[in-house]
Amino acid sequence: MNKERGSILLPVMLLVLLLGSMSAAMVMLTTSHARSSTEDLDQELAIRVAESGLAFYFGQVLLDGNYFSTNPAPHAPIQVGDAEFTLEAAVTTTDGWDLTITGTRGRGEYEIRAIIGGGSLVFPPGIVVAGTGVDGDVALRVRDKSLIGSFDPASGAFDPANPGTEATIAINGSLTLSGGSQIKGDVTASGTLDSGSPSDVSGTLTENGGQTPVENIDPIVLDLYDSSRTANDNGDLGAIFGVNWFPLLGPENYGDLVVADGGTYVVPSGTYRVRRFEVRDGTTVIFDTSGGPVKFVYVGAGQGTGTLNDLTLDTAGKVLVDSGGTQNGLLTVLGQDTDFRVLRDSVYGQSVNDPNNSGYTQIISLGGNASADEIEIDHRSTVHGRLYAAAHNLLLKNGSEWHGSAVARTVDLNHDGIFAIDRGSLGTSVPDSTTHDILARWRSSGP
């Protein structure tokens, strides 16, 4: 009987020991899982608070461009709930301030490095043809008595009969120069020149050169494109344009503006977001930037073609800039799949106060569009401005002119088309006051 009891007791003891081991393991597993979940949460909140710190210092620089000069790093930690962010370093650079910000919460820690403030989008002092990305493609065509020259606005207006010879052109691809056309300056191409006599390049021609880098400005464009949904001054347009302004309700927060009555309209400083914009039949729209810059975001209707995708000036339509003696300008943002057309004796971007200087207008767009869009200047029309639209094909024809500088996918001048490169200092870059209020380029991040 005792033997039977002993034989039963042994398995029971083993079972108890096994259950005890399993219970202990479960306790350890539960504790470990809870600790892991807590650490994951800490890390997530550390990332969030570090990003909050970056946004905080964005705001400080917006209020005071010299903020870090008078408040040098490092800074004491700033609490955000039960987490905190710390400015570890703020080092001045040619682009602004190089910041190192650490976010911490419990066991979590995250570091962000970014460049903010004083940065600017630099436009080239000439023409950069971004090309199609296919070796051997013709990226620049200058034909039918067309001309690329240069001028200094401080010395007066561009004179096609006496063009300056300081044009600088960089081409990612090949070029065609024909039909008595001329380039008054230097050309560097990754491809070759096909020239039909009589045509000439007056400066140094470099064939089979290297590719010219084209800066990716999509983050700047997308920020302006997206932020204008929630922060714009479209509510003022009804009082200015009356029934010509048709607001469209919805998440895009834009409207249609078509004016063709031959009148003159003045639009104050602010941000405006439109789906359709047309100025026709002798009508003039003046953007008054004396009180600050104008950000004009043209969205279009989406992928496709037609009037709802074109920002259009036609038949002596004019869009001008009145800076009131300041250097504030007009920034035009072209949305994806939108075209820009200036037709039949129309003018875009000229300054009322300083008509020879092209630096008061900048036009930018996404560079990564799946299909190229069009910028067409036709029938004796003129655009004044700095263009950075690496996905757009630029076409100047029939006596039309562009005064300023350009980055474009391809450039085609024909039938007396003229590109006059503005060699003046104003407008060679877009200050943060006329484009992206604060530029930030993420450099690195990690635990």
Side-chain angles (χ1 to χ4, degrees):
M1 191 71 171
N2 289 333
K3 289 183 179 180
E4 290 178 359
R5 288 177 180 174
S7 62
I8 294 172
L9 184 60
L10 182 59
V12 169
M13 291 177 64
L14 291 173
L15 180 60
V16 169
L17 288 172
L18 179 60
L19 290 173
S21 300
M22 291 175 64
S23 297
M26 287 295 291
V27 170
M28 292 176 64
L29 180 61
T30 302
T31 303
S32 175
H33 179 72
R35 184 181 298 116
S36 175
S37 297
T38 300
E39 290 177 356
D40 288 345
L41 179 61
D42 284 348
Q43 186 63 25
E44 177 64 26
L45 292 177
I47 294 172
R48 298 283 180 85
V49 77
E51 291 173 344
S52 297
L54 182 57
F56 171 81
Y57 287 112
F58 274 12
Q60 297 302 315
V61 174
L62 275 174
L63 294 172
D64 178 6
N66 296 316
Y67 176 79
F68 292 115
S69 297
T70 55
N71 298 274
H75 288 185
I78 296 178
Q79 291 292 133
V80 181
D82 59 354
E84 64 183 29
F85 62 81
T86 305
L87 178 67
E88 307 287 355
V91 179
T92 184
T93 72
T94 56
D95 292 323
W97 292 91
D98 185 352
L99 304 186
T100 302
I101 299 171
T102 302
T104 56
R105 200 267 194 173
R107 294 174 177 267
E109 181 174 298
Y110 192 80
E111 179 184 276
I112 284 178
R113 291 190 66 190
I115 297 176
I116 70 169
S120 59
L121 168 62
V122 177
F123 285 76
I127 301 173
V128 174
V129 189
T132 64
V134 178
D135 287 341
D137 276 6
V138 176
L140 173 66
R141 292 178 174 86
V142 187
R143 46 193 175 157
D144 306 324
K145 298 182 180 179
S146 294
L147 169 67
I148 299 178
S150 61
F151 74 109
D152 183 348
S155 301
F158 175 73
D159 180 4
N162 296 285
T165 59
E166 295 183 306
T168 56
I169 304 164
I171 308 165
N172 293 331
S174 296
L175 68 151
T176 297
L177 182 62
S178 62
S181 297
Q182 302 177 70
I183 297 177
K184 298 295 186 180
D186 298 335
V187 178
T188 300
S190 65
T192 58
L193 166 65
D194 178 10
S195 179
S197 182
S199 300
D200 73 273
V201 176
S202 68
T204 300
L205 170 64
T206 303
E207 298 179 88
N208 299 311
Q211 291 274 324
T212 298
V214 177
E215 183 179 356
N216 176 20
I217 68 167
D218 284 6
I220 300 172
V221 178
L222 287 171
D223 181 82
L224 290 160
Y225 187 83
D226 292 337
S227 63
S228 66
R229 282 191 177 96
T230 55
N232 65 51
D233 300 288
N234 285 3
D236 297 336
L237 297 179
I240 299 169
F241 293 98
V243 295
N244 294 315
W245 165 249
F246 185 75
L248 296 164
L249 300 179
E252 289 291 348
N253 195 12
Y254 54 18
D256 292 343
L257 178 57
V258 179
V259 283
D261 55 13
T264 297
Y265 299 87
V266 179
V267 182
S269 300
T271 298
Y272 304 96
R273 180 179 174 88
V274 299
R275 180 184 72 162
R276 181 182 182 186
F277 182 66
E278 298 179 22
V279 180
R280 298 176 177 273
D281 302 332
T283 304
T284 299
V285 174
I286 300 174
F287 286 104
D288 181 355
T289 65
S290 58
V294 169
K295 299 175 184 177
F296 182 72
V297 182
Y298 177 73
V299 177
Q303 189 171 4
T305 59
T307 58
L308 288 180
N309 277 18
D310 294 348
L311 188 159
T312 303
L313 278 67
D314 199 352
T315 315
K318 293 183 179 180
V319 171
L320 307 177
V321 181
D322 183 354
S323 64
T326 71
Q327 292 189 5
N328 297 326
L330 166 66
L331 174 70
T332 303
V333 183
L334 301 178
Q336 190 168 2
D337 301 311
T338 63
D339 299 326
F340 177 33
R341 303 191 189 282
V342 184
L343 312 173
R344 284 176 280 274
D345 301 293
S346 296
V347 178
Y348 193 90
Q350 188 172 27
S351 170
V352 173
N353 317 96
D354 190 3
N356 297 327
N357 196 312
S358 306
Y360 292 96
T361 299
Q362 292 87 30
I363 303 165
I364 64 176
S365 77
L366 294 171
N369 290 6
S371 59
D373 301 314
E374 303 295 328
I375 297 175
E376 179 184 7
I377 319 301
D378 195 4
H379 287 100
R380 303 167 304 279
S381 296
T382 306
V383 174
H384 301 254
R386 313 279 173 176
L387 175 69
Y388 207 112
H392 279 75
N393 297 315
L394 174 60
L395 174 61
L396 295 170
K397 59 183 180 179
N398 296 319
S400 292
E401 301 185 15
W402 190 293
H403 296 186
S405 65
V407 176
R409 186 189 192 198
T410 65
V411 177
D412 188 347
L413 281 66
N414 64 68
H415 292 99
D416 301 298
I418 293 175
F419 200 111
I421 295 173
D422 181 347
R423 301 293 298 181
S425 59
L426 178 60
T428 55
S429 67
V430 176
D432 44 58
S433 62
T434 56
T435 177
H436 194 64
D437 289 325
I438 292 293
L439 304 183
R441 291 188 295 280
W442 299 92
R443 293 184 55 189
S444 63
S445 59

